[in-house]
Amino acid sequence: MQKIIKYTWCAAIIATLGLQSCKDDYLDKLSDNPNQVPVPTLNALLATSTYKIGNNNYLIGSIVAPYVQYTASPSANAAGDTYQAIDFSTTWDALYFAMADANEMKKLAVAQGSSEYKGVADVIIAYNLTLINDLWGDAPFSQAFDINNLKPKYDKQQEVYNQAIVLLDEAIAELAKTNATVKLAPTSDLIYGKTPATERANWLKMAYALKARLLNKISKTSSYNPAAVLAALSNSFTTNADDAGMATFKERNPWANVALSNSQQSLGGWLSEQFIDALNGKTFTVFDPRIEKITDKTVNNTYIGTVNGAGNRLPGANTTKDECYISSNSPWTSNTSPILIVTYAELKFIEAEAYFDTDKTKAYAAYLAGIGANMDKLTVSTTARDAYLANPVVSVGAADLTKDLIFKEKYIATYLNPEAWNDARRFDYKYKDFTLPVNFALPTFIRRLDYPQGERSKNGANVPADVARTTKLWWDQ
């Protein structure tokens, strides 16, 4: 694993909130340039770290999107669609670079007595560490940032999970304080900087949101504690306005870049038949108005997805636009749309799941609230929203609420979010009509990634032995 010894930064990060004039290489790589600042400021590290938490959300979201069949390749036998081995060394490095930046911010915050910066650093480290843990399982952490150890040991996957919980608890304790000697700089905070009056409080809510997500993820284990999940939720988001998202880009939202490239015949961002059929009325016999806010109709005035692994249904006609794609017209994937890290809507579905076995009335209320919140976020009209919520396929009543319904609605609400793969695995891919891709390379659904070749070349003695991509992580047993 690569180590970060020196960091550089661009004044443009602070000045423009955009990083448009800063290249990632300047933020990521070692440098001995005497003209560069050897020790960055808290503000610079905050800007860099909050940018990277959003960008890493996109990177992981793009990896898992075909696994949960949000997206599909126009080419048959595409590696992602069919669960083939892929080297994600760049992604691995991006996650560790982000943690290294946040770790430097944390050390500097401790030195300067800033509980706010320390708390935010803990949240950011915990989030990136969780992404590593969810993709690969065992991973370096306890020795990961020791500058004298270039070949850190791998901590066991459950230990990594526990450390993420510890980090979030530390963040909660720090962000609950109101007497920080150095307070967060709104102009450097790309997540909550636009609301300086509630900036610290919003980060505190986000810490609780991520903790609730982590506690809910172990629902298949004997350690699952719904009461602890609900306790975390009670201190977290209360409206869509609390959502954690990053909306500062070099050019545009990276999902919008995918849509733009597709429109210019550099094909990508095709939506899966599974996802489209869950919305267009085919799978669930109810038309979901969110589809109109997620994608555009085809040239045939319909909504049609692409079968994972099969490629375009009309070979050689990839430019016909007779399938649905990621759209730059969507509030989720437009040029200026935020990359959403965790949302109020997602938390309502977590609440519904946590209440399911003990209070169906509260579970049902949370389920409906999650749907409504997601529709409001996507700017679905009130009339269309209420009609969907009143449909008997959706409005089943508390007594007839099922986990299938909760997971189905959460699947739609977490469109393009990395958390969707965790849910798919927890749910054993039991979404209605969800099938293995055509030409799949594994005997069953994918459960984890191969360790990157870059890590094997740098830290091979410590990398775990080859583990099949069908091997379940500890919380997925």
Side-chain angles (χ1 to χ4, degrees):
M1 186 187 70
Q2 291 183 336
K3 293 290 176 180
I4 309 299
I5 300 174
K6 287 188 178 180
Y7 295 79
T8 61
W9 61 283
C10 269
I13 296 176
I14 306 294
T16 69
L17 274 184
L19 293 94
Q20 290 91 340
S21 61
C22 295
K23 298 295 186 182
D24 276 353
D25 286 348
Y26 289 100
L27 297 168
D28 289 341
K29 294 183 179 179
L30 304 180
S31 175
D32 293 319
N33 187 337
N35 297 317
Q36 293 174 339
V37 179
V39 181
T41 64
L42 283 172
N43 291 0
L45 287 166
L46 179 62
T48 301
S49 296
T50 50
Y51 170 76
K52 287 182 177 180
I53 194 175
N55 195 59
N56 285 346
N57 176 285
Y58 161 73
L59 290 175
I60 307 308
S62 64
I63 289 172
V64 308
Y67 299 159
V68 296
Q69 296 187 26
Y70 286 144
T71 61
S73 174
S75 301
N77 303 300
D81 284 36
T82 58
Y83 308 155
Q84 296 176 42
I86 303 174
D87 182 15
F88 291 112
S89 292
T90 300
T91 302
W92 174 281
D93 287 347
L95 290 164
Y96 274 98
F97 282 139
M99 285 193 286
D101 285 338
N103 192 57
E104 289 299 301
M105 179 166 68
K106 181 176 180 176
K107 290 190 293 185
L108 192 56
V110 170
Q112 296 188 16
S114 176
S115 55
E116 294 189 5
Y117 276 95
K118 182 177 183 294
V120 169
D122 280 332
V123 171
I124 293 172
I125 296 169
Y127 179 73
N128 285 286
L129 181 62
T130 297
L131 292 176
I132 287 276
N133 195 216
D134 291 341
L135 297 177
W136 287 283
D138 294 1
F141 184 71
S142 60
Q143 297 179 355
F145 306 108
D146 178 359
I147 194 172
N148 297 310
N149 182 6
L150 298 181
K151 295 184 177 180
K153 72 171 185 176
Y154 274 61
D155 300 324
K156 295 298 183 182
Q157 53 186 293
Q158 190 168 352
E159 295 171 2
V160 176
Y161 169 89
N162 290 337
Q163 187 56 53
I165 293 287
V166 169
L167 287 164
L168 290 174
D169 283 340
E170 289 179 358
I172 287 166
E174 294 299 319
L175 291 166
K177 299 175 182 177
T178 58
N179 60 346
T181 55
V182 181
K183 296 189 179 295
L184 294 170
T187 52
S188 301
D189 182 353
L190 308 189
I191 305 294
Y192 286 122
K194 291 183 179 180
T195 54
T198 58
E199 187 178 10
R200 177 196 57 80
N202 283 340
W203 276 103
L204 178 58
K205 290 180 181 180
M206 182 180 172
Y208 275 114
L210 294 177
K211 182 176 181 180
R213 178 192 273 176
L214 279 177
L215 292 173
N216 196 60
K217 187 171 64 180
I218 61 172
S219 61
K220 294 170 74 173
T221 75
S222 60
S223 299
Y224 179 57
N225 183 350
V229 175
L230 294 168
L233 290 172
S234 69
N235 290 290
S236 189
F237 301 163
T238 56
T239 71
N240 283 339
D242 295 331
D243 290 355
M246 199 285 290
T248 301
F249 312 111
K250 296 177 182 179
E251 295 177 318
R252 60 185 67 83
N253 180 305
W255 291 112
N257 271 332
V258 173
L260 176 63
S261 295
N262 189 47
S263 70
Q264 297 175 341
Q265 313 309 325
S266 179
L267 302 178
W270 292 35
L271 295 181
S272 171
E273 180 184 61
Q274 159 67 24
F275 182 58
I276 293 298
D277 285 355
L279 295 164
N280 67 10
K282 181 176 180 180
T283 301
F284 296 102
T285 70
V286 55
F287 179 82
D288 190 326
R290 284 173 288 190
I291 197 171
E292 299 172 331
K293 299 294 184 177
I294 287 174
T295 189
D296 306 311
K297 286 184 176 180
T298 69
V299 292
N300 300 315
N301 202 37
T302 57
Y303 292 106
I304 297 176
T306 300
V307 177
N308 289 79
N312 183 20
R313 66 191 72 240
L314 297 173
N318 286 340
T319 60
T320 306
K321 308 298 182 186
D322 58 349
E323 304 86 6
C324 290
Y325 318 114
I326 288 173
S327 173
S328 58
N329 297 319
S330 169
W332 231 244
T333 52
S334 74
N335 290 354
T336 58
S337 297
I339 298 174
L340 294 168
I341 297 160
V342 58
T343 67
Y344 172 65
E346 179 193 336
L347 298 189
K348 297 311 288 184
F349 293 116
I350 292 175
E351 181 181 340
E353 192 178 345
Y355 271 127
F356 185 82
D357 290 329
T358 58
D359 194 326
K360 282 287 185 65
T361 299
K362 289 183 178 179
Y364 184 63
Y367 154 80
L368 293 177
I371 299 170
N374 183 236
M375 288 196 167
D376 290 345
K377 191 79 173 183
L378 281 166
T379 69
V380 172
S381 72
T382 301
T383 301
R385 179 199 68 196
D386 292 349
Y388 180 82
L389 287 169
N391 189 287
V393 172
V394 179
S395 182
V396 297
D400 292 323
L401 179 67
T402 63
K403 284 194 176 180
D404 287 22
L405 281 171
I406 295 170
F407 273 89
K408 171 249 184 177
E409 289 292 345
K410 192 180 179 190
Y411 171 74
I412 295 167
T414 52
Y415 169 58
L416 300 181
N417 192 293
E419 190 62 18
W421 194 28
N422 295 331
D423 285 338
R425 289 178 285 180
R426 285 196 305 120
F427 195 47
D428 292 318
Y429 290 90
K430 292 189 301 184
Y431 303 106
K432 186 178 179 182
D433 295 343
F434 198 100
T435 60
L436 284 162
V438 176
N439 302 314
F440 55 96
L442 299 177
T444 186
F445 292 106
I446 189 169
R447 298 285 181 165
R448 64 195 302 155
L449 302 183
D450 294 328
Y451 283 100
Q453 290 302 313
E455 178 66 359
R456 290 189 180 281
S457 67
K458 294 189 288 281
N459 193 18
N462 289 317
V463 177
D466 288 336
V467 181
R469 293 188 293 284
T470 53
T471 302
K472 296 180 178 181
L473 298 176
W474 73 274
W475 49 261
D476 184 30
Q477 301 299 316

